[in-house]
Amino acid sequence: MVGLGVMGRNLAYNMADHGFSVAAWDAWPDTVDRFVREGEGKAVTGHKDLAAFCAALRKPRRIILLVKAGEVTDKTIDALTPLLDPGDILVDGGNEHFMVTERRSAALHAKGIRYFGMGVSGGEEGARHGPSMMPGGDRAAYEELRPVLEKIAATTDDGPCVTYCGPGGAGHYVKMVHNGIEYGDMQLIAEAYSLLKGLGGLENAELADTFAAWNEGELASFLIEITARIFRVKDDLAPGDLVDAVLDATAQKGTGKWTVQDAADLGRPIPTVATSVEARLLSSRQADRVRFAEVLQGPSPKAVPASEKKALIDDVRAALYAAKACSYAQGFDLLRGASDARSWDLNFSELARIWQAGCIIRARFLKRIKEAYQRDAKLPNLLMDAEFVQELAQRQTPWRRTLARAFEGGIPVLTSAASLSYYDSIRAARLPANLTQAQRDLFGSHTYKRRDRDGDFHSPWK
């Protein structure tokens, strides 16, 4: 293990717990000392010298990198490469851009080093007790590490939450899209919270109970579970609940942005993910929003009567489920586009399977997605699965009613609205794009196609 931060340290202990001996190196001597001290009694050793670390490994060496993505990883690989032999395996377990992974893979392949990128999801708890892992790259190298990875992965009744994704940067790409879906999920939950608080007048204790109840049903997921927990935590620095003391400005590390950028390059619409990134950008301008709130006019939310509170909660739950379905549909549509464009042959049922446990977006919902792609591996869009067709039809009225209430009350629902607009767009036999194309032809002579005959046309529009 190279890199003994939160993820590397815990993944190493996870391996040791499953009967594997682990040698580890980190650039910071104190970090190595801590690793050895806290791992006393386990089959782990720590090294402060990189050459000694490599010399201690049985050949062919099997090394997992879990250091900061980008320049730090490049420098670490540069330091490792002269110490490795042809046939050694190097795994990058960080959140790296898939194109960088492909660049490194090609460079290391020329030196005989077998390299693959592996997305690892689940945070500290997942790394320690069972993450979801998304490896891609050198297939033979993966097969050699497979017994280790399957032992340390999270498990469900369907097996360990790890699978070979595909060649090149496929593993890191799948993890990138996982994170994009995660962005969408988190923002949809935040907007549901805003609706329940602004329109339902729910206090934090009621919100905790509501999300806990939702976690027992169709919305059961890690993110819903931790949302319920968050609302119950008291502030240890001031009176009140901790969530109310947290500044309303969300940070990001870039994987959501990468997802949106590649979706645009591939021509695959993912408005739920895209608006969740934009929502984070808007939240980060917190000081501006405080100033603008004093000038810009609009309605203020009014809580529904107590007699309507339960009906509102039910509506918001239905709307959240429908919006979530649209988010996952977009994510899997992007995965299909990438797989087709790059000849990765991604197995969508398998990807849904390994996301059922260990990872941040783990949810009961994913079993349904796995089964949908088992029924039809070539499903053109997740929402075209017969079961999802019926479920979204059943939720039409509360879904639309919820967003109408949000608009009337001036509650921002950027991402929830994007999900509904996506649904309405893909089910529209005709869109107003004919006018857009006519405009392009008028001002730029870009030509247009006709509905009633073949060919490209240009008109003077006079």
Side-chain angles (χ1 to χ4, degrees):
M1 183 68 64
V2 170
L4 291 172
V6 170
M7 293 296 288
R9 181 175 69 252
N10 282 288
L11 203 62
Y13 290 152
N14 184 350
M15 291 178 180
D17 286 346
H18 285 88
F20 302 103
S21 59
V22 184
W25 174 88
D26 193 275
W28 301 96
D30 289 348
T31 301
V32 176
D33 290 337
R34 176 190 173 187
F35 171 72
V36 173
R37 183 175 63 253
E38 294 182 355
E40 185 177 358
K42 300 181 185 297
V44 300
T45 58
H47 297 265
K48 301 175 184 178
D49 179 81
L50 196 57
F53 162 76
C54 290
L57 299 177
R58 184 177 70 247
K59 297 180 182 180
R61 299 176 180 90
R62 301 183 292 180
I63 299 173
I64 296 178
L65 288 172
L66 271 167
V67 298
K68 187 177 181 181
E71 184 181 4
V72 174
T73 299
D74 276 330
K75 288 182 175 179
T76 305
I77 291 173
D78 289 344
L80 273 169
T81 302
L83 305 172
L84 301 180
D85 297 315
D88 287 348
I89 299 171
L90 191 57
V91 182
D92 179 4
N95 272 334
E96 190 57 87
H97 194 284
F98 73 101
M99 293 299 290
V100 175
T101 301
E102 299 207 333
R103 168 179 62 78
R104 291 174 183 156
S105 180
L108 290 167
H109 177 74
K111 298 177 181 180
I113 297 170
R114 297 179 291 168
Y115 173 88
F116 64 89
M118 181 172 71
V120 181
S121 181
E124 179 179 359
E125 186 74 10
R128 185 67 184 84
H129 300 292
S132 173
M133 292 174 286
M134 296 145 260
D138 189 305
R139 180 65 187 256
Y142 166 72
E143 291 299 335
E144 286 189 33
L145 271 179
R146 182 175 177 175
V148 178
L149 299 178
E150 289 187 345
K151 283 280 189 180
I152 67 171
T155 59
T156 68
D157 292 341
D158 293 328
C161 293
V162 60
T163 192
Y164 177 75
C165 293
H172 273 150
Y173 191 92
V174 169
K175 176 56 163 50
M176 180 189 78
V177 175
H178 164 285
N179 285 19
I181 294 171
E182 178 186 312
Y183 272 52
D185 258 7
M186 293 175 73
Q187 182 61 27
L188 291 172
I189 291 170
E191 291 175 4
Y193 152 58
S194 184
L195 289 165
L196 293 172
K197 189 177 181 71
L199 297 178
L202 274 69
E203 300 293 337
N204 289 338
E206 294 176 290
L207 288 164
D209 290 342
T210 297
F211 279 94
W214 288 358
N215 197 48
E216 297 298 319
E218 62 191 11
L219 287 171
S221 69
F222 172 70
L223 287 171
I224 293 291
E225 174 194 333
I226 66 170
T227 299
R229 282 163 40 191
I230 285 169
F231 287 121
R232 299 191 195 280
V233 178
K234 297 298 180 184
D235 191 347
D236 59 353
L237 299 178
D241 298 323
L242 182 56
V243 68
D244 295 326
V246 177
L247 185 70
D248 56 320
T250 306
Q252 55 184 318
K253 290 187 175 180
T255 46
K257 178 182 71 175
W258 295 346
T259 307
V260 174
Q261 288 171 332
D262 197 61
D265 289 342
L266 292 173
R268 297 283 171 153
I270 54 167
T272 303
V273 178
T275 52
S276 70
V277 174
E278 291 164 356
R280 292 194 181 196
L281 297 175
L282 283 164
S283 77
S284 69
R285 299 185 62 182
Q286 195 264 348
D288 285 341
R289 289 186 287 105
V290 171
R291 286 192 299 113
F292 299 164
E294 297 176 356
V295 179
L296 299 178
Q297 299 182 21
S300 297
K302 296 179 180 178
V304 300
S307 59
E308 298 178 21
K309 184 183 288 189
K310 183 183 182 304
L312 174 70
I313 292 172
D314 290 342
D315 279 1
V316 174
R317 183 191 70 242
L320 177 56
Y321 184 88
K324 181 184 178 79
C326 289
S327 179
Y328 280 77
Q330 294 163 35
F332 277 90
D333 186 56
L334 174 56
L335 288 169
R336 181 177 294 284
S339 182
D340 291 346
R342 297 172 179 125
S343 301
W344 282 342
D345 195 26
L346 297 179
N347 185 323
F348 308 116
S349 177
E350 266 289 277
L351 298 184
R353 181 190 69 77
I354 68 168
W355 287 347
Q356 290 180 98
C359 68
I360 302 301
I361 64 170
R362 60 186 184 264
R364 182 176 299 173
F365 183 80
L366 279 154
K367 187 175 181 65
R368 309 275 317 291
I369 297 176
K370 181 201 73 172
E371 293 168 348
Y373 283 108
Q374 284 178 334
R375 286 190 289 271
D376 183 2
K378 297 185 182 300
L379 195 63
N381 187 293
L382 177 64
L383 301 186
M384 290 297 291
D385 175 74
E387 290 190 9
F388 281 102
V389 168
Q390 182 178 11
E391 289 189 350
L392 266 65
Q394 292 171 342
R395 290 163 175 78
Q396 288 286 300
T397 300
W399 191 9
R400 297 179 188 280
R401 184 165 56 222
T402 297
L403 292 185
R405 282 172 161 168
F407 296 144
E408 289 173 356
I411 297 175
V413 284
L414 191 65
T415 300
S416 299
S419 278
L420 180 55
S421 290
Y422 171 81
Y423 177 77
D424 284 338
S425 293
I426 64 170
R427 72 180 188 86
R430 290 198 67 180
L431 289 168
N434 56 318
L435 176 58
T436 305
Q437 195 61 17
Q439 291 170 333
R440 294 182 73 245
D441 188 50
L442 185 153
F443 66 65
S445 299
H446 293 295
T447 74
Y448 61 92
K449 295 186 182 296
R450 294 182 60 96
R451 291 168 53 82
D452 57 356
R453 62 199 68 192
D454 295 333
D456 296 317
F457 296 84
H458 167 63
S459 297
W461 298 102
K462 294 181 179 178

